[in-house]
Amino acid sequence: MKPSTEREEVCAVCKVPAKQKCGGCKSVFYCGREHQKAHWREHSAKCKSYKLVENEKLGRHYVAIRRIEAGEVVIREDDALVQAPQQETVPICLGCYKPLESDTAKPCELCGWPLCASCTSHGAECDFTKRHRDTKVTITGFGIAHPTYKCIGVVRALALRETNPEAYERFTKLASGELEEPREIARFIKRFFNKLHDFSEDEIARAAGIMQINGHEVPISEPVLIAVYDESSYVEHSCRANCSKSFTSSGGIVIRAAMEIEKGEHIMICYTDPLWGTANRRHHLLRTKFFECTCPRCSDPAEFGSMFNAIECSKSDCSGCMLPKSFTVQEIPDYRCNKCDNSRSSNSVDEMLEQIGKEMASMRKNDAGACRSFARKHASKLHDNHYYMTDVKLALAQMIGQQTGGLPALDNETISEKILLCKKLDDLLKTIVPAENRVRGLVLFEMHAAVAEFARRQDREQLYNILQESKRLLNEAYQLLKYEPELLPEGIIAKTAKKNLREMDMILKQLCQNAVAPL
Ligand SMILES: C[S@@+](CC[C@H](N)C(=O)[O-])C[C@H]1O[C@@H](n2cnc3c(N)ncnc32)[C@H](O)[C@@H]1O
């Protein structure tokens, strides 16, 4: 028998022995380009790097069926099944989603939902309202959150049953749950659309649950939209995901491998804010997605040695730090020091953190001095990498150099402070959230600028080498941000990074030429 590596494969079209593999799924073979092309129509729907599996703990989820390279697109969906405003929103135009004021809003002639001066049509709620309500909608009270808008997403989903039955079927296959908020929305919809007889309250509650569990915040407009996609809805959560998600400017979703994913590994994105502390992330996931996260990051209180949740030991002569044994239990146990026998109840730690959190929330925006004072003041209470410290340091790293005169106006010490901050932040992010391309990209972009300014202050010999390092950082930032749409700040930075890379290449070339020019 031949060893499996020498197994002969046959062309999917003509069945002759074939060596050329489909580059997408790497599991179908062709004798040549011609047959690969001819087969694509049939194969494209099945050509995936992952398969859908199911288990008791995760429900349906994806597992890689081959090695997936870092940067590879795993899932791309150009259209959402449903796209709608957030449940809590000020009155907005349902055509273009811009906030409305009482003097700019005009009711849609057909259904009464207010639109802006430029829009004449909007989503499926228009026809739905005409058919299932005996009066037109009247919206009053602009500029403050309006409860009536909470029905829009669900109404758009329900309307699919008639307008796009195939999409409705895919929508109804997604995970839901018997939850309080969706039930409340269902009751509201039944009251508000008083002629709605062909959907039961249970059906509506299920649709609202699907919106809640599978909805993504899409930051392509202000305020953000909520979208539910089809394939992407089966990707499981991990607080240390291996894929990053981004959105296209037209509202599509792209899920990319942020690192190499081996065959058999799960495909994972993060459903919550990965830079929150463990208790907050787990609480948020339980409240909004109805599961208890036990991912490797949540299961390790030290978060891979980063000490992201750690507080300093409260004994003044001890340099240790304190963590509970676990965050994944009903009642979080006492925090214990890793150097002495000191312990502290988790309630008392929570009280301290609540106090510090309030202080952080009331800090002046864009004030580098306030960030430095905060970090100094709490250095004896919070670990250097604690999530509150990280939050403040992320803000500080971006603020340094934003004042009049920019980086050139700063002294050497402040430039070094910025470089060191960025370096430590990048190390931390790589450890706990390696797939968070946006935040890593921003940190590296800031670092490249500070390193370039530092280089400018050195003699010619050092200048070249340090500029090379700045270019390396800039290139990494660009690679991390290049897929962000230009309408987001990250997309604008990616564009600047691309331009800066070209300029930096020219400067380095010139420096090289001058170095070899005869004296
Ligand atoms: C967007 S859906 C993912 C697809 C879902 N598993 C299904 O069968 O349709 C989110 C739901 O999947 C489950 N889930 C996702 N990630 C999980 C995780 N890391 N641990 C436990 N449950 C998870 C939870 O029930 C969650 O509410």
Side-chain angles (χ1 to χ4, degrees), residues 183-248:
R183 177 62 57 183
E184 207 278 303
I185 293 178
R187 283 190 211 111
F188 172 79
I189 289 179
K190 273 292 200 187
R191 279 198 309 275
F192 192 70
F193 297 96
N194 53 353
K195 294 195 302 177
L196 179 62
H197 304 302
D198 39 2
F199 287 99
S200 68
E201 189 184 296
D202 281 354
E203 275 173 294
I204 305 172
R206 209 185 116 66
I210 292 174
M211 291 298 293
Q212 172 156 347
I213 288 189
N214 301 277
H216 293 264
E217 277 190 10
V218 186
I220 55 165
S221 66
E222 181 61 46
V224 299
L225 299 176
I226 301 296
V228 172
Y229 300 89
D230 179 16
E231 268 184 77
S232 308
S233 292
Y234 299 99
V235 180
E236 75 187 67
H237 159 85
S238 170
C239 296
R240 190 182 191 274
N242 54 12
C243 290
S244 62
K245 69 173 178 189
S246 51
F247 297 94
T248 65

Side-chain angles (χ1 to χ4, degrees), residues 441 445 448 473-479 481 490-504:
F445 184 82
H448 110 275
L473 294 165
L474 181 60
N475 189 38
E476 204 177 337
Y478 174 63
Q479 296 304 326
L481 298 175
E490 290 87 349
I492 298 171
I493 292 180
K495 206 171 158 198
T496 311
K498 194 173 177 189
K499 183 174 133 275
N500 289 6
L501 270 172
R502 277 198 302 268
E503 285 173 9
M504 204 171 266

Side-chain angles (χ1 to χ4, degrees), residues 57-61 173-175 213-214 233-238 271 289-294:
K57 181 180 167 202
L58 299 166
R60 293 163 292 181
H61 59 282
K173 282 189 178 147
L174 302 179
I213 288 189
N214 301 277
S233 292
Y234 299 99
V235 180
E236 75 187 67
H237 159 85
S238 170
Y271 296 178
K289 308 289 177 187
F290 307 99
F291 70 94
E292 296 240 15
C293 188
T294 49

Side-chain angles (χ1 to χ4, degrees), residues 50-51 53-55 57-65 68 74 234-238 240-243 259-269:
Y50 55 84
K51 65 176 179 196
V53 293
E54 189 167 357
N55 68 23
K57 181 180 167 202
L58 299 166
R60 293 163 292 181
H61 59 282
Y62 292 134
V63 167
I65 54 171
I68 303 174
V74 181
Y234 299 99
V235 180
E236 75 187 67
H237 159 85
S238 170
R240 190 182 191 274
N242 54 12
C243 290
M259 58 191 75
E260 264 173 25
I261 301 173
E262 294 298 338
K263 181 176 172 178
E265 279 178 15
H266 292 206
I267 309 293
M268 303 173 284
I269 55 172

Side-chain angles (χ1 to χ4, degrees), residues 332-396:
I332 297 175
D334 288 353
Y335 280 58
R336 295 193 175 280
C337 178
N338 59 1
K339 289 219 170 121
C340 72
D341 60 358
N342 190 17
S343 73
R344 203 171 156 180
S345 79
S346 69
N347 279 347
S348 111
V349 175
D350 285 349
E351 275 167 29
M352 175 183 87
L353 292 176
E354 198 184 325
Q355 206 49 44
I356 300 178
K358 278 187 190 153
E359 199 182 308
M360 235 177 89
S362 65
M363 247 163 70
R364 277 197 309 273
K365 302 273 168 262
N366 292 324
D367 184 341
C371 290
R372 288 190 185 99
S373 315
F374 177 95
R376 261 197 310 274
K377 178 172 169 194
H378 296 298
S380 59
K381 299 186 200 116
L382 305 177
H383 187 276
D384 234 21
N385 282 345
H386 187 273
Y387 52 89
Y388 280 158
M389 287 291 206
T390 300
D391 203 15
V392 165
K393 287 175 185 180
L394 267 170
L396 180 59

